[in-house]
Structure formats: C-alpha cells, structure tokens
Amino acid sequence: MPSKKKSLGKKSPHKKTMTKGIEKKILLRDNSSVMHRIETLHQIALQIDSAGSIDEILDIIRREAKWLVTFEVCLIGLLNRSLTHYVIHTLSPIADATELGSKHFSVDEGTLGWVIRNNTSFMDEIKSHPTSSPMFEGRLEDMGIKSMLVVPLQKGNDVIGSIAFGSITPKCYKEEDSTIAQCFGLYVATAIKNTSIFEDAQKRLTQIELISEVSSRLTSLLQLGQLLDVAATAIQKTFNYFDVTVFLLSDDKSELILEAHSGSFTDFLPKGYRQRSGEGIIGWVVQEGKKVICNDVSLDPRYKAYEYHNTKSEIALPIKIERQVVGVLNVEDTKIHAFDETDAVVLETLADQLGSGIKNAKLYEETQQANMKLTELDNEKSEFLGIVSHDFRSPLSSIILASKSLLKNPAIQGVQRVKDYLLLIVNQANRLNQLAEDTLSITKIESGKLSYYFKIVNVQRLIQDALSSIRFSSRHQLDFKVDPKILFIKGDQAKLRQLVQNLVSNAVKYSPEGGKVSIIAEDSPPDHILVSVADEGIGIPSEKIEKLFQKFSRIDTSEARGIRGAGLGLWICKEVVQAHG
C-alpha cells in the first residue's frame, strides 16, 4: 500500500506538468497563426503599394484578402467627394451575386455607413446592428450571411470608407480578426487615398489640356455646327461622360434646339430636337442663367426623364454672349455623384469658350451673308456697267464717224473754229469710247466671261494698229523697233492691241511736255518676247510702284493731279498679260 501511495503521489505532479505542456503548445500554435497572418498582410501591402490605380487595388483585395480573414462576402464602401454617400464595390463571387456593386447609399444607411460616420469597427451578428438597411444587410441575409466584421478605411484623420467581411457562420469573427482587418484597412486606405490624389492630379491635368485643346480648336473654327460638334465630342471622349449635348436658344427664345451631341446613344435625341425653354434642368438654367449640379436626378423634380436613358447625375451650365444666355452645355453620367465643384469650374470655362466661339461663328456667318449680298450687288453692278458700256459704243462710233466725215468737208476746212470744235468732239468721243471699252473689259474679267481667241499674230502690225488709234502731239517723238526674229507670236490680237494701246497712251498722257516715247519688241529666250514702252515724262516714285496695277488706283503726285484717268488701263494690262501666261 505505501508503495502504491508513493506511486500515486508521483503521477499527480507529472499529469499537471503534461497539462501545462499541452497549454503551452496550443499557445505557441496560435501565436504562429497570428505571425503568419501578419507576414501575409505585409506581403499583400507590398502588392497594394505597387498598384497604379484604385481598380488594381480592388483586384488585389479580391484576390488576396481570403488569406487574412475568413469570409463568404467581401465588399468595400468608398465615400464620394461630397462625403454624403458611399458607393459599394463587391470583391467576392457571393458579394457580386447580391448586385450591390456600384450602388450608392447614404452615410446614414447600413452598417458600412455607421462605421464611416463613427470611425469605429463593428463585429457581431448581422441582425444586431441598429442601422441595418433592408437594401444592404437584408440583401446579405438573403444570401445566408450571419456574421459581419466591418472596419473603417482611415488615413490619418480622414475616413474614406469602410471594408466589410461577412460569413455564413454565426459568431465567426474574433478580436484577432478585427485587429488584422483594422491593420489591413489602414494599408488599403493609405493606398486608395494616395492613388486618388494622383488620379485627381491626372484628371485636372487632362482637364487643363482639354481646355487648351478646345480653346485652340474653337478659335480656328468658324462654322457653327462644326464648332459645337468638336466641343461636345472632346468633352465626352476625354472624361468618358455618358452624354454631352449643346442646346442653343431659338431666335424668339421660346425653345432650346439641340445643335450638337456626343454620347452612348447617338440617335437618342437627334439634332434639331426642340424643348421648351421652361422644361427640365436645362430649361431652368436658361431662365435663371445659373449652373445646376444635380448628383442624383431622382431627387430633383426639375429633371426630365427620357426613355432608355440611364442618367443618374447631370450638370448643366449656361452659355453666354455678353451676359446674355444663348444656350446650355449639358453633361450627364450614369453614376450618382459624378460631378464636383472642380468639374463645374472646368465645364464653366469651356462654356465661356463656347460662348466666344459661337459669337465669332455668328459674326463670321453674318459677314459671309453680307459678302454674298455684296457679291450679288457687285455682279449686278458689273452687269449694268457692261450693258451701259456696250450701249455707249454704238452712239459714240456714230459721233466719231460723223465728226470725221465733217472734217473732210471742204466747207468746214475753211472755218478754223468749226474745225477745232469737230476735232475736240472726235478726241473726246474717242476718250469716251476707250473708257467704255475698258469698263466693258473689267466687267467681263470680273465675271470670268472675258474670252480669249488665240491665233498667230504679226507683232509689227499689232503695234502699228495700236499706235494708229493714239493721238500724238507735235511735241512727242516716236521710236518704234521690232526685232525681225519675233515677227509672229501666238495670242489674242484684240487683247494684245488693247494692251499696247493702254501702255503707249499712258506714256503720252504722262509726258505732257513732250519727249520721246519708245516702243521696242525683242526676243526674250527661250519662249517669250519682251515689249517695252518707255517715256521721258514725270516718272513714278519707287515706293508707289506696287499700286500701279491695282484697279481704280492712281498715283497721287503733284505732277499727276491735272491728268485725267480712271485707273483702269494698267489693271487691264496685267490681266491680259497673265491670261497669256
């Protein structure tokens, strides 16, 4: 018996030691699990740090979060810019099946909103939270979720959202899970915040580039329709908005007319669509002359809904010319809370540029219409001058013929006074005839109706014919030479005769004191001839030479003021020479 007692006495301490040994082993295994999860968290954090966008961060969470926390449902709620709502991003297959992805909830709704507002974690049964929402928690319960672990996404003092894990197992989550989830939330919040800052900077840079691009293109476009199409397309494509439209007020300001559109439904509202100026958000903008930022159109009674339209947010800005509203730049998107004040500033700048562009385009259009009217008037003027000039020539020819016949009459030859009068009549009639011929040539040249008939022309005879119609005074000397190598050329004989006649007439007219007038025709290899007309008259100031061949242009000098002329002869000469190549 004593030996048995001794034996029993030895076993008891040994058993206690074994128990402590088991407890120690269990504790070591739990510590190892925590250390493993922390190491995994560190590895996931490195992946998150290297992500280039928020979408990449969410993809990493979807792929790796299962190694940190047990769940069937994983999702994130991210605050919008106005801090009034959070948008859900589902990050597990069962969460995807809830169809909560991209849904917006007020921060007063659901467990995620409560965690965001209070910056406090929640870990309990899903039914136990006082702010449970049928639209959120009710949907999760329908999928069999019993337990929830929700922690804030916090960077510094800023809470940007919350991350939630859900399990079908009751009382699934422990303090260790909450600690790991909170650490994970800090990593995720920091990465999303930093990425958001970078993405915002990129967006602002893109906006500035858009303003510069649109401004540059608007200043170069003067067709109103093209200008508005370019602006609408640039805004919609750059920021991937759902729909961008430009409306302009009708002349009586009773209707808004859709002038440009860019978006997902190209035929949704066709160009020319009309809407009364008091209807919808755009109608309000026109009447009040103020912008509207509506980040949830379902809450705005002014919003006019259209069939097959997916609009959730709308921003409408007045387009003004000199403080008068002339239209509306309207931008719509399928996301709730798609616009903030920075977007409004950018779009307001673009609306101002549109106003300037529309003003320039309308001025251009008015100028074009005025030019068309002036062209019509000019054509009518040319037609009238052509008719008058043509009708002048017949009576003038009769006057000249009759006067020359009288001059040959022996009875007139003996009366010097009558002879002088007849010579005056002939000279002035010839002058009028030349003016009529020049005017007729101008009207034909301007209308493109002046016809040229090219044939072989004798240069010497051409110049002689031109000289025969010019009256030289006894004070002028004439020097006329034609190179034998160029007796024949190809050209319009009548136009070339008029050309030489105008040049020689000018030489005589501007040599009032007489002097020599030289006409020389010589070869100008390889395939031209050079006809020179020179005089010893009053000359031309070098700085005014470029005005010589302009229509109705005359050189205004003291020596030339007493000499009459219409300023047409040299312009006609230039046109004839150019027509001959």
Side-chain angles (χ1 to χ4, degrees):
M1 287 297 294
S3 62
K4 287 181 181 178
K5 285 182 179 180
K6 187 175 181 181
S7 175
L8 286 170
K10 287 181 181 179
K11 283 182 180 180
S12 180
H14 181 70
K15 185 177 181 181
K16 189 174 182 181
T17 302
M18 286 297 294
T19 303
K20 285 184 178 180
I22 293 168
E23 289 174 354
K24 187 176 182 182
K25 286 180 182 179
I26 292 171
L27 181 61
L28 284 174
R29 187 163 60 243
D30 288 346
N31 285 341
S32 174
S33 173
V34 172
M35 292 302 296
H36 177 72
R37 292 166 80 180
I38 291 173
E39 177 61 29
T40 302
L41 175 61
H42 176 68
Q43 293 173 3
I44 296 172
L46 291 177
Q47 293 184 54
I48 291 174
D49 285 342
S50 64
S53 67
I54 292 176
D55 287 339
E56 285 185 40
I57 293 171
L58 297 178
D59 285 342
I60 292 169
I61 296 172
R62 174 183 286 272
R63 189 174 63 247
E64 304 293 346
K66 61 188 176 183
W67 306 114
L68 298 175
V69 180
T70 300
F71 61 81
E72 276 74 41
V73 164
C74 178
L75 44 83
I76 276 182
L78 293 179
L79 273 173
N80 63 4
R81 295 181 185 278
S82 59
L83 308 181
T84 58
H85 291 73
Y86 59 93
V87 60
I88 298 295
H89 299 271
T90 56
L91 301 173
S92 66
I94 295 179
D96 297 338
T98 63
E99 298 182 349
L100 289 170
S102 300
K103 300 289 185 185
H104 286 70
F105 291 90
S106 167
V107 291
D108 296 323
E109 290 184 85
T111 309
L112 273 72
W114 183 88
V115 170
I116 291 171
R117 287 199 325 275
N118 295 281
N119 192 14
T120 302
S121 299
F122 171 80
M123 183 178 66
D124 208 338
E125 297 295 292
I126 191 169
K127 293 181 178 180
S128 66
H129 202 277
T131 61
S132 294
S133 163
M135 294 296 294
F136 182 72
E137 282 81 3
R139 192 72 64 84
L140 295 179
E141 286 186 68
D142 291 343
M143 305 300 290
I145 301 302
K146 299 289 192 301
S147 304
M148 286 284 291
L149 171 59
V150 187
V151 298
L153 298 177
Q154 181 180 6
K155 183 181 186 296
N157 295 323
D158 296 331
V159 176
I160 66 168
S162 56
I163 183 168
F165 304 96
S167 174
I168 58 176
T169 304
K171 300 289 183 180
C172 177
Y173 298 109
K174 312 298 181 187
E175 286 299 326
E176 179 184 311
D177 298 309
S178 178
T179 301
I180 292 294
Q182 288 180 54
C183 292
F184 186 52
L186 288 173
Y187 278 116
V188 171
T190 301
I192 289 177
K193 184 73 173 178
N194 292 342
T195 304
S196 295
I197 292 171
F198 179 72
E199 288 182 349
D200 283 347
Q202 283 187 316
K203 180 180 178 181
R204 302 312 170 210
L205 180 61
T206 304
Q207 289 173 332
I208 293 170
E209 290 174 347
L210 173 65
I211 291 173
S212 176
E213 177 190 349
V214 172
S215 177
S216 174
R217 298 193 69 179
L218 291 187
T219 54
S220 64
L221 294 173
L222 292 173
Q223 296 293 336
L224 183 59
Q226 186 182 6
L227 178 149
L228 298 178
D229 284 337
V230 165
T233 301
I235 294 169
Q236 193 264 328
K237 298 295 184 186
T238 302
F239 301 113
N240 198 30
Y241 290 133
F242 173 67
D243 196 83
V244 175
T245 47
V246 179
F247 290 84
L248 294 184
L249 266 175
S250 59
D251 292 337
D252 62 2
K253 299 185 178 180
S254 64
E255 291 181 307
L256 283 159
I257 306 170
L258 194 154
E259 299 288 353
H261 171 265
S262 180
S264 302
F265 296 101
T266 54
D267 59 347
F268 170 64
L269 290 178
K271 280 189 179 181
Y273 167 83
R274 291 173 178 261
Q275 182 171 316
R276 279 185 286 186
S277 60
E279 290 184 354
I281 289 176
I282 61 172
W284 186 92
V285 169
V286 166
Q287 290 186 338
E288 300 297 324
K290 300 175 183 177
K291 73 174 182 289
V292 170
I293 303 176
C294 179
N295 273 318
D296 188 348
V297 295
S298 65
L299 303 178
D300 195 323
R302 296 170 297 185
Y303 177 69
K304 184 176 180 179
Y306 301 97
E307 191 177 5
Y308 306 123
H309 220 215
N310 299 322
T311 297
K312 296 293 189 296
S313 301
E314 181 174 2
I315 180 170
L317 309 102
I319 300 171
K320 298 180 180 181
I321 297 177
E322 297 174 354
R323 300 185 180 180
Q324 295 295 316
V325 177
V326 298
V328 177
L329 171 60
N330 189 64
V331 182
E332 302 178 30
D333 204 74
T334 54
K335 301 186 292 292
I336 292 180
H337 296 280
F339 308 107
D340 57 24
E341 283 298 331
T342 305
D343 297 315
V345 169
V346 172
L347 292 172
E348 279 181 306
T349 303
L350 292 171
D352 289 342
Q353 291 179 344
L354 271 175
S356 299
I358 291 168
K359 179 182 178 181
N360 293 337
K362 286 188 173 181
L363 287 173
Y364 175 74
E365 188 175 326
E366 291 171 3
T367 303
Q368 288 289 89
Q369 291 176 351
N371 285 340
M372 288 176 63
K373 186 65 176 175
L374 288 173
T375 301
E376 289 176 8
L377 292 173
D378 191 54
N379 290 336
E380 290 175 4
K381 176 265 300 176
S382 297
E383 187 176 351
F384 171 75
L385 287 175
I387 293 170
V388 172
S389 300
H390 186 272
D391 290 347
F392 262 22
R393 297 173 73 186
S394 295
L396 284 172
S397 297
S398 299
I399 291 170
I400 294 169
L401 183 61
S403 299
K404 286 184 176 181
S405 297
L406 286 173
L407 280 171
K408 294 177 181 179
N409 191 312
I412 299 299
Q413 291 288 331
V415 185
Q416 186 61 41
R417 188 173 181 182
V418 175
K419 183 179 177 181
D420 290 341
Y421 283 155
L422 288 172
L423 286 172
L424 180 62
I425 290 171
V426 171
N427 290 337
Q428 294 304 314
N430 277 327
R431 184 167 172 270
L432 281 174
N433 193 50
Q434 182 62 49
L435 181 59
E437 187 174 348
D438 287 347
T439 304
L440 187 60
S441 296
I442 282 180
T443 58
K444 289 183 177 180
I445 290 170
E446 288 180 332
S447 64
K449 295 178 181 179
L450 187 63
S451 301
Y452 287 84
Y453 302 97
F454 292 92
K455 62 180 182 178
I456 302 301
V457 177
N458 185 306
V459 176
Q460 185 161 353
R461 186 174 299 169
L462 172 77
I463 296 174
Q464 287 173 339
D465 288 345
L467 295 176
S468 65
S469 60
I470 299 170
R471 182 170 176 268
F472 293 86
S473 73
S474 59
R475 298 189 305 273
H476 289 95
Q477 300 175 29
L478 182 62
D479 185 13
F480 167 38
K481 294 179 183 177
V482 176
D483 188 339
K485 297 178 182 177
I486 53 150
L487 287 179
F488 298 96
I489 61 170
K490 189 174 182 179
D492 185 306
Q493 183 163 342
K495 306 299 187 303
L496 292 175
R497 179 193 61 77
Q498 185 181 11
L499 164 64
V500 176
Q501 184 177 323
N502 283 348
L503 292 175
V504 177
S505 295
N506 263 23
V508 173
K509 185 192 300 183
Y510 291 98
S511 302
E513 301 303 323
K516 184 162 78 171
V517 176
S518 301
I519 303 99
I520 301 173
E522 56 188 340
D523 191 18
S524 180
D527 55 0
H528 290 78
I529 68 165
L530 177 64
V531 179
S532 305
V533 179
D535 63 67
E536 298 175 340
I538 61 176
I540 305 164
S542 59
E543 68 274 11
K544 296 183 178 181
I545 287 177
E546 62 182 25
K547 290 182 62 180
L548 279 179
F549 297 97
Q550 297 176 15
K551 187 168 50 175
F552 301 114
S553 176
R554 300 190 67 219
I555 305 301
D556 187 17
T557 63
S558 57
E559 296 90 343
R561 280 175 192 155
I563 303 171
R564 296 178 180 179
L568 298 175
L570 292 181
W571 182 77
I572 293 172
C573 289
K574 182 190 73 170
E575 295 296 324
V576 172
V577 170
Q578 289 179 341
H580 280 76

